């Protein structure tokens, strides 16, 4: 029987003064690649931040036995997530950013990471400060780290945004490899249907009411 990596029970979340983005949301996410599908504004990014332990709402999350409300450090050590809008790494190189993201990940796959750096055409950029990189190249740095991580849960937010065609194909190839290994759960938030990778499942978010403004 397929094991559950992340169990979500009765999740609810609303920004102050706004309609609820989530009410009573539940899911069991197992190994492989799962798509989180929904239109812009349906709450995909909010749900990823809840799963990452960055936002806190109602309900319960359990990730390989760890709960963010009981032991946030233990929970956080089991999940890989980078907010694509962050500027937290702008002053360091792509390589230093990767080292920071891989800290505490004893089985981080350096060989896979180097292969991804090359596939993403990052070799000549990886030692530049992140602020010098384009939006797409920054995303490639984070994706290379994410797809080399051994953490039980990897969260990707619209990973093809800003990527060129060869990099998108490299992304799909690596995700297909990860799906075949069946050792971790990768949740990919995307408004477009994923057809290039065998999926373990799909989580559907309902359309957002016109008055709501979540991502």
């Amino acid at each position: 029987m397929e094991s559950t990596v992340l169990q979500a029970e009765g999740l609810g979340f609303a920004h102050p003064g706004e309609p609820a983005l989530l009410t009573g949301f539940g899911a069991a996410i197992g190994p492989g690649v799962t798509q989180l599908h929904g239109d812009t504004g349906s709450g995909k990014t909010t749900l990823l931040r809840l799963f990452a332990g960055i936002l806190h709402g109602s309900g319960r999350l359990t990730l390989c036995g760890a709960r963010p409300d009981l032991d946030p450090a233990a929970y956080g050590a089991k999940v890989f997530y980078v907010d694509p809008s962050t500027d937290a790494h702008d002053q360091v190189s792509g390589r230093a950013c990767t080292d920071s993201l891989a800290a505490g990940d004893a089985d981080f796959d350096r060989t896979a990471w180097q292969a991804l750096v090359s596939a993403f055409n990052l070799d000549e950029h990886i030692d530049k400060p992140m602020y010098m990189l384009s939006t797409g190249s920054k995303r490639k740095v984070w994706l290379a780290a994410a797809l080399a991580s051994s953490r039980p849960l990897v969260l990707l937010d619209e990973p093809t945004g800003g990527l060129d065609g060869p990099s998108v194909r490299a992304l799909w190839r690596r995700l297909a490899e990860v799906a075949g290994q069946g050792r971790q759960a990768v949740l990919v938030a995307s408004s477009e249907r994923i057809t290039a990778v065998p999926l373990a499942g799909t989580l559907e978010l309902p359309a957002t009411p016109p008055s709501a403004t979540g991502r």
Side-chain angles (χ1 to χ4, degrees), residues 5-212:
V5 176
L6 178 69
Q7 182 76 49
E9 302 170 89
L11 292 189
F13 183 83
H15 293 288
E18 296 184 7
L21 280 172
L22 294 169
T23 303
F25 181 88
I29 301 172
V33 178
T34 296
Q35 178 173 9
L36 175 61
H37 180 260
D39 294 334
T40 300
S42 61
K44 297 188 301 296
T45 294
T46 296
L47 186 56
L48 290 188
R49 289 173 175 168
L50 287 166
F51 285 171
I54 296 170
L55 289 180
H56 305 283
S58 58
R60 176 182 293 186
L61 287 170
T62 307
L63 172 57
C64 295
R67 287 176 47 186
D69 54 330
L70 300 180
D71 192 339
Y75 184 94
K78 298 178 185 295
V79 58
F80 186 106
Y81 173 71
V82 175
D83 183 341
S85 67
T86 185
D87 60 3
H89 309 285
D90 276 6
Q91 300 306 312
V92 301
S93 69
R95 190 180 303 274
C97 172
T98 300
D99 290 341
S100 175
L101 294 172
D105 188 346
D107 294 320
F108 185 85
D109 191 337
R110 289 284 173 181
T111 300
W113 174 79
Q114 185 59 64
L116 286 161
V117 167
S118 297
F120 289 156
N121 198 27
L122 281 175
D123 289 298
E124 63 180 277
H125 305 294
I126 197 65
D127 290 307
K128 295 178 181 178
M130 292 283 282
Y131 72 82
M132 293 182 62
L133 303 185
S134 67
T135 298
S137 290
K138 286 182 180 181
R139 190 181 295 268
K140 292 176 187 180
V141 171
W142 298 324
L143 283 172
L147 297 173
S149 174
S150 70
R151 300 185 192 276
L153 179 64
V154 175
L155 305 172
L156 304 180
D157 195 352
E158 299 286 358
T160 61
L163 266 59
D164 54 275
S167 294
V168 171
R169 291 191 289 273
L171 166 68
W172 295 145
R173 285 196 301 271
R174 178 57 182 170
L175 280 173
E177 292 173 1
V178 172
Q181 292 167 356
R183 292 197 296 264
Q184 61 189 158
V186 181
L187 184 62
V188 183
S190 175
S191 57
E192 300 293 331
R193 296 286 182 183
I194 296 173
T195 59
V197 178
L199 296 177
T202 300
L203 300 180
E204 296 283 353
L205 289 180
T208 305
S211 58

